[in-house]
Amino acid sequence: MVPEINYWAVLLATASSMLVGSIWYARGVFGTRWSKLANVDLDDPSGNPVLAIITTVIVSFITAWVLAGAAVIAWHFYGGSYFWGAIVTAVTLWAGFTAARFITHDAFEGRSTKLTTLNIAHELVTVVVMALIIGVWPPALG
C-alpha cells in the first residue's frame, strides 16, 4: 500500500530546500565559514553548478517525498496531530539517517567536527522546514 501523499506539499517542500540552502550558504550567513572549513573557493567553483543544482532539486524532491510518506504512515500509526507527526518524523529521520551517516562518513574522511556540525545543522533546518510545509498541508484522504 502506498501512503497518501500531497504532491503540492512535496513540490513546495522541494523548493523550500533550495531557499534554505541559498540562505544558509550565503556569504553573510554560513557560506564563508563553510567554504573555509570545506576548502572550497567560492570565487572559483569547480565542476558544473547547473548539474549540482539539478542534482539538488532531484534529491530534495526524493527527500520531501519520503518525508511526506513517512509522516502519513506515522500519523496513521500513532494518530494525533498530522502537523506534529510530520515534525517528529522529520527530526527522527534526520537523527537516525542523515546526522548519523554524516558523522560516520566525516569521521572516516577526517573532516572537521565544525564542518560536520555545520552541514548536519543545515540538513536539520532543511527537513524541519520541509516538515512544516508538509505538516500544514496534509494529504486529502479518500
Side-chain angles (χ1 to χ4, degrees):
M1 173 180 208
V2 176
E4 307 89 359
I5 293 175
N6 185 327
Y7 285 97
W8 291 112
V10 169
L11 291 173
L12 283 175
T14 300
S16 78
S17 78
M18 302 304 290
L19 180 63
V20 168
S22 295
I23 294 168
W24 188 272
Y25 292 109
R27 290 179 193 258
V29 184
F30 295 115
T32 302
R33 180 171 174 74
W34 169 81
S35 70
K36 287 178 186 172
L37 292 170
N39 199 25
V40 172
D41 184 354
L42 292 176
D43 296 319
D44 185 26
S46 62
N48 184 345
V50 173
L51 183 59
I53 290 169
I54 291 169
T55 301
T56 301
V57 170
I58 292 167
V59 170
S60 294
F61 176 83
I62 293 167
T63 301
W65 179 70
V66 169
L67 176 57
V72 169
I73 292 167
W75 180 49
H76 284 303
F77 185 79
Y78 293 110
S81 165
Y82 180 75
F83 176 80
W84 287 111
I87 300 294
V88 170
T89 299
V91 172
T92 302
L93 292 175
W94 167 83
F97 293 101
T98 304
R101 302 316 312 156
F102 259 82
I103 291 166
T104 299
H105 286 275
D106 286 7
F108 277 98
E109 292 174 2
R111 292 192 184 192
S112 153
T113 302
K114 291 177 183 177
L115 177 60
T116 301
T117 303
L118 185 65
N119 285 333
I120 63 175
H122 166 256
E123 294 301 321
L124 176 61
V125 171
T126 298
V127 297
V128 167
V129 170
M130 285 181 164
L132 289 168
I133 293 166
I134 291 165
V136 298
W137 204 352
L141 302 177

